[in-house]
Amino acid sequence: MALLKDIKGVGPRALCLLNKIGIYTIEDLVTHYPFRYDVLERGDLTKAEDEEHIVIDGKIESVPILMRFKAGLNKMNFRLVTQSGVVGVSIFNRAFLKNQLQVGTGVTVIGKFDKGKNVITASEIKMSTLTNKVKIEPVYHCTSGLTNKNLSTYINMALLAYGKDIPDYIPEEYIKKYNFLNKKTALNIIHNPSTDEKLKEVIIRLKYEELFAFMFKINYLKLQNKKKNNGLSREIDKKELDKFIKSIPFKLTNDQTTAIEDIIKDLESPSRMNRLLQGDVGSGKTIVSFVSMVANYLSGYQSALMAPTEILAVQHYNNLKEFLKGTDINVELLTGSTLKKDKQRIYEELSNGNIHMIVGTHALIQEDVEYNNLGLVITDEQHRFGVNQRANLQNKGLRPDILYMSATPIPRTYALTIYGDMDMSIIKERPKGRQPITTYVKSNDEIKEVLQMMLDELKEGHQVYVIAPLIEESENSDLATVCNLKDQMTLAFGKNFKIDIIHGKMAGGAKDLIMQEFASGKIQILISTTVIEVGVDVPNATTMVIFDANRFGLSTLHQLRGRVGRGTSKSQCILISNSDTKRLDIMKNVDDGFLISEEDFKLRGHGDLFGTKQSGDMEFKIANLREDYKILLQTKKDSNEYLKNKDTDNDILKKELVLSVNENL
Ligand code: ADP
Ligand code: MG
C-alpha cells in the first residue's frame, strides 16, 4: 500500500500536520470522516426561529466595529442587508477579516440567530454568496496550518489514486445481504455527498463496517480466551491473604467479598482473567483492587495499577502504602513527573523483580518498561484499554490477568455488548455508615440561596467544589466558566476562605499541586471543570455546586456528585440550571448509579456535550454506540455467525481482521 507522502501535494510539512491529527496512513486519511456537514441552504429571517442555525446571503451595510478583549479575544459587529431584512452580525476572533468586510461586499453568514435581538452570532463568514441554493459541505477536524480545504483535497487525491486498495472489513456475503455499496464508492460519497439520502445510506454502511470489525474482534477474543489455557498458573497463599484481609480497618461489604472471590478464582484458573469490576462511585472498588494485588503477590507475581490521572495515581499509591504497612511488599509510583534518576532505578527494579507493585498512569504499559514477572494489571476509572493496548502487552511477551474497574455503571444490555468479551463483577452495596447526599435543583435566580448554603458549610470547616462547563468565555456561549466563577466566588468568599481553580488545560504538576492543597484543606473552594470527575477522595468536601448542570450527562453529574459524601458529615449537591429540570429531577430523586445510567441511556443524544467519555465511544471514527445500538446488535450477531460458520483459517478477510487483533491474544 502506498504511503501518505505518495499522495500528490502532500509534502513534509503537510505530512507532519496530518500526523499531528492522528493520520499516519492512507487508510487513516480516507477514514478521517467529516464530523459535521454544513448544509448551506439559505434561510429566511422572517421564518427562522430563535436559536436557529442559519445560512444567509447578504450585503454588508455598515463598517464592521472591532472590539478587542483580554487574552487576545476579539469580536466584530456589522449590519447585513438580506432579502428577508436587515440583521446584525457578530463574529468572534476574526479580526483578520476586517479589511475584506467592506461595506457593499456580498457574503454568506453562517451562525445562530437570536430572534429577540435580531442578531446572528456567526461561526463562519464566507466571502462569496452561494451559487446553488443547497450545498452539503463536509467539515473536518483540522489543525492550525491544515485547513478544511487542504484535507478535502488530500482525501480526494488519495481516493482517486488508491481508493481501490482500501480494505473493506465487511465480508462479501454481508455486502450482498444488505446491498451495501463498495468501500471506495462509499468513501467517495461520504467525503463528497450530493444528496442527503445518499449520504445517510453510506453512513450506515460505514458504521456497519466499523462495528462489524469491532464486534468481530470482541467475539474473536472471547472465543480464543475460552479455548486456550493462556493464563498464568499459580497458587495463592490463602492464609497470608486472609491475614491481610483481616488487617483492613473496616469490614468488607458482601459485594466486595464476592468480587474478591471472583477475582481469586480467575487468578487461579489457567485461563486469562479479563474481568470488569463495576461499582458505583464510593462503593469501594479500590480495596478490592488492593486485595487482588496482594493475592497476586502471594502467588509470586508483580502487579501494576494504572489510573487515568496523576492525581489519582498518587492517591492510590499513598493508600496502598498505608494498607501494606508492616509487610515486605515493595510498592513504587511511576508517573510522568517521576524524576529521571528515580525512573531509571524503578525500571531496573521492575525488571529484576525488586518492586512487587507499581502504581502509575498509562505509561506503565506503554513505555519501555520491562517487568520481571507481571501477573496482574488493573486499570481504574478508565474505559477499558483497547484491544491494541492488550496487544502491546502481548508483544512484550506478557500475559497478565487483567482487571478493569469502572465507576460508570453501564446499562445491562449495552454492557453485554460492549464488554461482551469480559466477565463482570458488580458492587451495588455501599459501605456502612455513609451519609446520603441531598440533591437540590436551583435556578440561576436562586444563586443567593446557593451562596448561603455554601457559606454555612464553609463555616463548619467543610470544603466545597464548584463546577462549570467551560474554562473561559468562548464564542457562542454564555455558560458559566471557571474563570468567571473564580471572580464571583472571590467577591463573595475571598476575604475569609481560600479559593482556587483547576482545569484540564493546566500542566499536570500544577493540577496535582492544587489538588493536594485542596485535599489537605489549604483550599476551601475548588472551582473546576469536570477534570475532578474521576476518583479523587476528599472526605472533608461536603458540598458540590454544579453550574449549568443541564449541560452535563446524568452519568457525569452522578460521578461529580460522588466526589462528596465520602466522609461522615452530611453532604449536598446543588445543581444550578434554568432549563431541563425534568432531567435534573432524576438526579434529585435517584442516587443509584445503575438506575441513572439506564435513564441516561434513554435520554442521550439530546445535545449531551460532555458525557461522551464513557464506554470507549471515542474509539470509533463514525459509529456511535448510543445511536447505533441496533447496528451494533446486528454486527454482533453477524460477526459471531461469520466466526463460527467459516472456521477456515485461510479466509483472507478473517485473517485481516484477526491480524489487527493480534493472533496470540
Ligand atoms: P470507588 O469505588 O469510588 O473507587 P473507593 O474505593 O475510593 O470508592 O472507596 C471510597 C471510600 O470508602 C474510601 O475511603 C474507602 O476506604 C472506603 N471504604 C471502602 N470499602 C469500605 C467498607 N467496606 N467499609 C467502610 N469504608 C469503606
Ligand atoms: Mg475509585
Side-chain angles (χ1 to χ4, degrees), residues 204-246:
I204 290 176
R205 187 249 186 251
L206 293 169
K207 282 178 168 183
Y208 179 94
E209 179 180 359
E210 189 169 38
L211 291 171
F212 185 91
F214 176 73
M215 284 318 299
F216 177 92
K217 287 181 197 181
I218 285 188
N219 288 328
Y220 177 80
L221 283 175
K222 194 171 188 178
L223 226 62
Q224 291 299 305
N225 227 14
K226 292 269 138 74
K227 250 191 238 166
K228 283 190 197 158
N229 288 346
N230 58 358
L232 304 166
S233 50
R234 48 164 107 223
E235 242 170 80
I236 297 165
D237 184 339
K238 296 279 171 47
K239 262 199 192 132
E240 279 299 310
L241 186 62
D242 276 343
K243 246 199 226 160
F244 173 72
I245 293 176
K246 289 217 172 80

Side-chain angles (χ1 to χ4, degrees), residues 383-437:
H383 50 255
R384 54 188 294 196
F385 45 78
V387 169
N388 295 339
Q389 279 159 306
R390 267 193 278 170
N392 240 352
L393 284 174
Q394 181 70 31
N395 291 340
K396 292 170 183 246
L398 301 168
R399 321 168 270 153
D401 285 311
I402 300 180
L403 178 68
Y404 302 90
M405 301 197 289
S406 167
T408 312
I410 302 154
R412 237 183 105 69
T413 43
Y414 191 49
L416 279 179
T417 322
I418 312 313
Y419 297 100
D421 63 326
M422 300 189 165
D423 297 306
M424 218 174 301
S425 298
I426 296 181
I427 306 184
K428 285 214 156 179
E429 206 180 339
R430 287 192 203 195
K432 290 222 171 62
R434 283 288 159 76
Q435 295 275 355
I437 305 166

Side-chain angles (χ1 to χ4, degrees), residues 56-69:
I56 198 150
D57 288 347
K59 274 206 174 120
I60 297 179
E61 194 196 47
S62 68
V63 180
I65 299 168
L66 177 63
M67 284 162 284
R68 292 188 186 275
F69 309 106

Side-chain angles (χ1 to χ4, degrees), residues 139-275:
V139 184
Y140 299 98
H141 284 298
C142 306
T143 180
S144 152
L146 186 67
T147 63
N148 208 55
K149 212 166 167 187
N150 294 146
L151 269 167
S152 174
T153 309
Y154 299 153
I155 289 169
N156 283 309
M157 283 305 222
L159 281 175
L160 197 66
Y162 312 109
K164 279 200 306 292
D165 309 334
I166 308 293
D168 186 344
Y169 297 107
I170 311 179
E172 226 173 277
E173 58 235 67
Y174 295 103
I175 297 222
K176 281 205 190 104
K177 181 175 167 190
Y178 298 115
N179 216 352
F180 282 143
L181 289 167
N182 72 42
K183 179 80 170 261
K184 185 182 169 187
T185 312
L187 289 172
N188 258 323
I189 291 176
I190 195 159
H191 291 296
N192 307 284
S194 53
T195 66
D196 218 23
E197 293 78 55
K198 266 267 169 291
L199 180 61
K200 278 190 184 131
E201 187 187 326
V202 302
I203 287 178
I204 290 176
R205 187 249 186 251
L206 293 169
K207 282 178 168 183
Y208 179 94
E209 179 180 359
E210 189 169 38
L211 291 171
F212 185 91
F214 176 73
M215 284 318 299
F216 177 92
K217 287 181 197 181
I218 285 188
N219 288 328
Y220 177 80
L221 283 175
K222 194 171 188 178
L223 226 62
Q224 291 299 305
N225 227 14
K226 292 269 138 74
K227 250 191 238 166
K228 283 190 197 158
N229 288 346
N230 58 358
L232 304 166
S233 50
R234 48 164 107 223
E235 242 170 80
I236 297 165
D237 184 339
K238 296 279 171 47
K239 262 199 192 132
E240 279 299 310
L241 186 62
D242 276 343
K243 246 199 226 160
F244 173 72
I245 293 176
K246 289 217 172 80
S247 78
I248 298 170
F250 44 76
K251 195 175 172 303
L252 295 176
T253 63
N254 291 331
D255 282 356
Q256 283 172 323
T257 305
T258 310
I260 289 170
E261 284 167 4
D262 289 346
I263 292 163
I264 303 271
K265 252 189 232 146
D266 284 355
L267 291 178
E268 287 180 329
S269 109
S271 290
R272 231 172 119 181
M273 171 162 79
N274 189 28
R275 180 170 291 277

Side-chain angles (χ1 to χ4, degrees), residues 278-344:
Q278 273 200 72
D280 213 340
V281 267
S283 61
K285 293 181 294 297
T286 315
I287 191 67
V288 174
S289 71
F290 290 175
V291 174
S292 312
M293 288 165 86
V294 171
N296 180 55
Y297 164 80
L298 290 173
S299 67
Y301 288 98
Q302 291 172 300
S303 315
L305 172 60
M306 299 196 289
T309 62
E310 257 190 73
I311 302 172
L312 209 55
V314 172
Q315 188 181 299
H316 281 330
Y317 170 72
N318 290 332
N319 278 340
L320 184 60
K321 279 225 345 203
E322 187 65 32
F323 276 109
L324 296 179
K325 242 185 204 159
T327 69
D328 304 331
I329 304 176
N330 189 9
V331 190
E332 282 286 352
L333 174 71
L334 181 64
T335 68
S337 37
T338 306
L339 296 177
K340 210 168 168 194
K341 66 173 188 339
D342 291 329
K343 255 188 198 162
Q344 278 314 320

